[in-house]
Amino acid sequence: MKYIFVVNPIAGHDDKQKLFSRIKSTFRLIEDDMIIEETHCQGDAKNIAHNYAQKYGKDCVIVSCGGDGTVHEIANGLAHTDTPMLILPLGTGNDFAKKIYGTKKINVENVIKAFGFYNGNIKYDVKSIDLIDYNGEKCINVMSYGLDTKVETLGRKIAAKVPAIGHQAYNLAIVPVMCSSLNYQLNVDLNCIDKEGNEYKIQQEPLDYTLFAICNASYYGGGFCPAPNSKLDDGLLDFALCHPIKLHQAPPLIPKYSAGKIDEIKQIESGYITSGRIWSVDGNRLLGNCDGENFDYSEVNFKVEPRALKLFCFKN
């Protein structure tokens, strides 16, 4: 087996060289190959993953060594292939890793040990998970609009300027964002399923809202949790739609939203979506976010793609 470590050299973790040195020592003792590929610009991780998948198929593993942006690119490169992805959470937010490793306090050393990269006894399970297709691109974690997208955008800028503060950058970003209007608009045509399994639609032009998150996984924005009970392989996307709130209503809601207690927030409507269309009210580009990466389409057509990606998980 070939393990392709796709490394974002500017990702948040400071001890990458020490970690890789220990892993290299292990690979010298076993028959599997360790190949390190560094990224240098946007799109590199996707292309590296795609090229190795085409060449080696199920006989290689793409190891994402960065944050959510690296995970996003690799997922796009591996969608609908036989090549699995393994995630070493070396970024600032690591929101998707929080879901698959079951903790908001990610420790990359524990992840490396659990997969056996330090002792040579490499062990894992492989599961197929869903993706979100949006305008032909893939989202592995959360697609969002409104307040949460603005916080995510500003939080990334703060983290880039002051890396030492890590995911706290997203908490700091909340304050300036909330000082502006919390009422946004977009048009929606959504195919939904309620918690009893009944199909229904949400169609509104325009829809007034504060935030709207469409979730394959659970966490985003440095740990906020709009979909605490999401399942990665159920063929459904969870959604959290917060109807307009006033500034004074927001502070007590934020801790609940972060903790995944959305059922306690009366302004939030939740359920499941399989597909839909979202477009701007005035025809201008609409700011959105997928996996921590911004996009500005004026219209987005999206759908769930069941079991479209193979993922390395801890062995039970």
Side-chain angles (χ1 to χ4, degrees):
M1 183 73 76
K2 296 182 183 298
Y3 290 81
I4 317 303
F5 287 70
V6 180
V7 182
N8 179 353
I10 60 172
H13 203 282
D14 293 329
D15 296 326
K16 285 194 290 292
Q17 295 304 318
K18 184 169 68 174
L19 296 176
F20 290 141
S21 178
R22 290 187 64 184
I23 295 172
K24 285 179 182 178
S25 296
T26 296
F27 272 88
R28 294 189 187 103
L29 304 176
I30 61 179
E31 294 182 358
D32 295 324
D33 295 326
M34 178 184 185
I35 301 170
I36 296 178
E37 296 275 8
E38 283 197 355
T39 62
H40 301 286
C41 61
Q42 188 172 8
D44 276 359
K46 176 183 177 180
N47 292 334
I48 291 167
H50 175 77
N51 291 339
Y52 275 100
Q54 294 300 305
K55 187 172 183 180
Y56 296 108
K58 63 182 179 181
D59 294 324
C60 75
V61 179
I62 306 300
V63 184
S64 175
C65 305
D68 292 305
T70 306
V71 171
H72 171 84
E73 286 199 21
I74 292 175
N76 274 267
L78 296 183
H80 302 292
T81 73
D82 292 328
T83 302
M85 173 169 64
L86 185 154
I87 297 173
L88 294 187
L90 294 169
T92 301
N94 301 311
D95 285 311
F96 185 70
K98 292 181 176 74
K99 175 66 177 180
I100 61 172
Y101 297 136
T103 177
K104 291 181 76 170
K105 296 182 179 180
I106 294 288
N107 184 312
V108 69
E109 291 268 2
N110 290 341
V111 173
I112 293 170
K113 291 175 184 176
F115 280 118
F117 283 131
Y118 280 163
N119 62 20
N121 181 24
I122 299 176
K123 53 187 179 180
Y124 55 84
D125 284 328
V126 178
K127 66 182 293 186
S128 295
I129 67 168
D130 304 336
L131 294 174
I132 306 171
D133 179 281
Y134 65 107
N135 289 5
E137 191 168 355
K138 314 304 178 187
C139 171
I140 194 172
N141 191 30
V142 175
M143 178 167 67
S144 65
Y145 297 88
L147 175 65
D148 41 7
T149 300
K150 291 180 178 293
V151 170
E152 175 95 29
T153 302
L154 183 57
R156 258 187 302 114
K157 291 180 180 178
I158 294 172
K161 291 182 178 179
V162 191
I165 64 175
H167 72 273
Q168 293 299 324
Y170 298 98
N171 295 328
L172 293 174
I174 293 172
V175 177
V177 171
M178 289 204 312
C179 289
S180 59
S181 172
L182 302 184
N183 189 9
Y184 311 105
Q185 288 188 326
L186 44 67
N187 298 324
V188 298
D189 182 357
L190 308 173
N191 300 308
C192 304
I193 297 178
D194 66 22
K195 295 182 180 180
E196 284 70 47
N198 302 307
E199 297 182 1
Y200 69 99
K201 292 183 76 71
I202 298 177
Q203 295 173 306
Q204 199 161 336
E205 300 181 42
L207 172 70
D208 292 299
Y209 74 107
T210 291
L211 64 82
F212 184 26
I214 300 169
C215 311
N216 188 39
S218 295
Y219 302 100
Y220 73 142
F224 291 96
C225 185
N229 300 313
S230 66
K231 296 180 179 179
L232 293 171
D233 58 356
D234 62 354
L236 298 172
L237 306 173
D238 295 49
F239 77 86
L241 172 61
C242 183
H243 296 287
I245 61 175
K246 302 293 185 182
L247 177 60
H248 72 275
Q249 295 175 302
L253 303 184
I254 291 171
K256 293 181 179 180
Y257 193 68
S258 179
K261 298 179 180 179
I262 61 170
D263 290 341
E264 298 179 12
I265 304 175
K266 64 180 181 179
Q267 294 90 344
I268 289 186
E269 176 182 355
S270 63
Y272 308 107
I273 299 179
T274 57
S275 62
R277 176 178 170 233
I278 299 169
W279 68 103
S280 68
V281 172
D282 56 10
N284 291 324
R285 293 183 176 276
L286 182 64
L287 179 65
N289 189 282
C290 275
D291 303 339
E293 302 295 316
N294 283 355
F295 61 86
D296 58 356
Y297 298 115
S298 59
E299 177 178 331
V300 170
N301 290 277
F302 71 93
K303 62 182 179 179
V304 62
E305 290 196 334
R307 300 177 181 267
L309 179 73
K310 290 180 170 57
L311 183 71
F312 262 38
C313 301
F314 294 151
K315 192 171 184 65
N316 293 325

